[in-house]
Amino acid sequence: MSIFTVASRYAKSLLELAREQGNVDVVKTDIDQLIAVLKSNSDLLRVLKNPIISVDKKQNILTSLFEGKINPLILSFFGILVRKGRANILLEIAQEFVREYNEVKGIVKASVVSATALSEQNLQALASKIAQEINAQVVLTNTVDTSLIGGFVVRVGDRQIDASIAGKLNKLEKYFVSQAV
């Protein structure tokens, strides 16, 4: 069974349990915290993925790191994962939980790559426009790529809108090349 399939099943189980207990948003916040800790601490990830390190040791590490800081539901969920030998995919399960949560809440992630950093006002306006177009809540991230020269490229799911100068120059070049033949 693929890692994605396993992660998806565990994430759906956690989401369903959180729904039953009426604390989906609290669990989501705690899962975001877990993801941040795992991504910033490669040593912790290596420990969790190491099959030589005992289940008890992994459980003790997770308990000492998160006890009193996250919802007890999640801490017991970690315990189940560790006992089932799934600590090695804890990050993938957490990321899949966030994806499932976003799907349930109607949240769509989008990115905008621009030649210069966009102001908060411009980001909000663009997010609002995208939200109107797709009829969903949008979480928009901005990255800078100076090779675009000017303009921006927006990605929402599998759709992309290229309004960059570099993109327009590439289209123009392709047009001239096709006309020269």
Side-chain angles (χ1 to χ4, degrees):
M1 198 176 310
S2 76
I3 289 174
F4 173 77
T5 304
V6 174
S8 179
R9 287 183 181 173
Y10 278 106
K12 285 178 183 175
S13 297
L14 179 59
L15 185 61
E16 197 57 41
L17 186 58
R19 264 195 221 156
E20 287 173 10
Q21 294 187 359
N23 58 2
V24 175
D25 293 328
V26 171
V27 171
K28 162 65 167 63
T29 301
D30 290 345
I31 291 293
D32 285 339
Q33 179 184 348
L34 167 70
I35 291 171
V37 168
L38 291 175
K39 283 185 172 182
S40 68
N41 192 334
S42 59
D43 290 338
L44 177 58
L45 269 176
R46 280 195 292 274
V47 166
L48 293 173
K49 290 178 185 270
N50 191 331
I52 296 171
I53 297 175
S54 73
V55 168
D56 290 338
K57 182 84 167 166
K58 291 177 185 178
Q59 182 67 46
N60 290 339
I61 290 169
L62 289 172
T63 301
S64 67
L65 281 174
F66 295 107
E67 192 170 40
K69 297 176 184 162
I70 62 173
N71 188 306
L73 167 73
I74 297 173
L75 200 55
S76 64
F77 184 73
F78 290 169
I80 293 168
L81 291 175
V82 171
R83 285 190 303 278
K84 296 260 186 196
R86 300 297 188 187
N88 61 324
I89 61 169
L90 186 58
L91 178 60
E92 289 82 0
I93 293 169
Q95 290 171 329
E96 182 60 21
F97 176 88
V98 171
R99 193 193 68 71
E100 294 275 342
Y101 172 89
N102 287 344
E103 188 174 307
V104 166
K105 293 288 188 172
I107 300 170
V108 175
K109 289 191 175 187
S111 65
V112 60
V113 181
S114 55
T116 60
L118 297 177
S119 70
E120 193 60 38
Q121 183 179 4
N122 286 341
L123 279 174
Q124 288 176 357
L126 185 57
S128 175
K129 182 67 175 163
I130 294 169
Q132 280 180 330
E133 291 293 321
I134 65 172
N135 197 23
Q137 184 180 348
V138 175
V139 175
L140 186 63
T141 57
N142 180 217
T143 53
V144 175
D145 181 358
T146 56
S147 70
L148 294 179
I149 305 169
F152 57 88
V153 177
V154 176
R155 287 186 185 92
V156 181
D158 61 350
R159 293 185 285 174
Q160 176 174 304
I161 300 167
D162 188 346
S164 68
I165 293 175
K168 290 177 181 177
L169 289 173
N170 285 337
K171 287 179 188 173
L172 192 58
E173 178 184 25
K174 287 178 185 177
Y175 173 77
F176 284 132
V177 167
S178 70
Q179 295 301 313
V181 174

